[in-house]
Amino acid sequence: DAGVTQSPTHLIKTRGQQVTLRCSPKSGHDTVSWYQQALGQGPQFIFQYYEEEERQRGNFPDRFSGHQFPNYSSELNVNALLLGDSALYLCASKVGAPSETQYFGPGTRLLVL
Amino acid sequence: SQQGEEDPQALSIQEGENATMNCSYKTSINNLQWYRQNSGRGLVHLILIRSNEREKHSGRLRVTLDTSKKSSSLLITASRAADTASYFCATDSMDSSYKLIFGSGTRLLVRP
């Protein structure tokens, strides 16, 4: 049973560029959340997708957008990259009911130069 | 903003000793979860405790929850070098159960 997978593992971009990160949820899971983790900090919630709709959004600018596909996989897009966007981006999946465990992928390390 | 705050920020112990980490949070919750993170990679789920539970065990892990004090503790007994990692508590909130709110974590070093 495959867990949550993310691609790519590492990514280097320059300021102003755009980036797309990908996530495949754990088998049987239909809800995907994205988190940003800066060095030395805890993860910060970006948004959550369920039934291909953004269900909730954290305190992130519109430069951060996402999508969920019919197979429940998801993408995180970040436009006009800033140096401060350098972080580990984590995807988590769960079944749709609230108050259930979220399972995290290994993350994508993004470096913006 | 981060709801959970772990204490201490860093902890160094000898292999075989017990490690205790504490977490405080601000709002009413449905549940509280503890996660482990090795070397800045993905988070591994350790244990979930619901707001109507006071204590939960899983192997060498013991978690307590005191909703009146809005605090939780994670005890790792008979620690091993492989337990070296960062540990995070994460809460949802009763008015927004979709997202997890993490603290800044406790960095645990278990010396062989």
Side-chain angles (χ1 to χ4, degrees), chain A residues 16-70:
Chain A
Q17 285 189 313
Q18 178 265 343
V19 68
T20 298
L21 310 181
R22 295 176 176 81
C23 170
S24 291
K26 186 177 169 66
S27 178
H29 289 186
D30 57 7
T31 302
V32 173
S33 299
W34 287 92
Y35 291 80
Q36 180 196 66
Q37 186 179 21
L39 202 60
Q41 301 293 318
Q44 298 277 329
F45 175 79
I46 303 174
F47 40 53
Q48 183 179 94
Y49 278 84
Y50 173 68
E51 293 188 341
E52 302 180 53
E53 296 287 332
E54 184 182 289
R55 183 153 70 176
Q56 187 172 14
R57 187 180 184 91
N59 189 24
F60 279 81
D62 291 344
R63 298 187 297 110
F64 289 77
S65 63
H67 188 77
Q68 186 178 34
F69 298 94

Side-chain angles (χ1 to χ4, degrees), chain B residues 17-35:
Chain B
E17 295 180 336
N18 295 341
T20 299
M21 288 159 266
N22 302 296
C23 167
S24 61
Y25 57 91
K26 298 175 184 174
T27 64
S28 296
I29 62 172
N30 293 305
N31 63 62
L32 183 145
Q33 304 181 55
W34 285 91
Y35 287 85

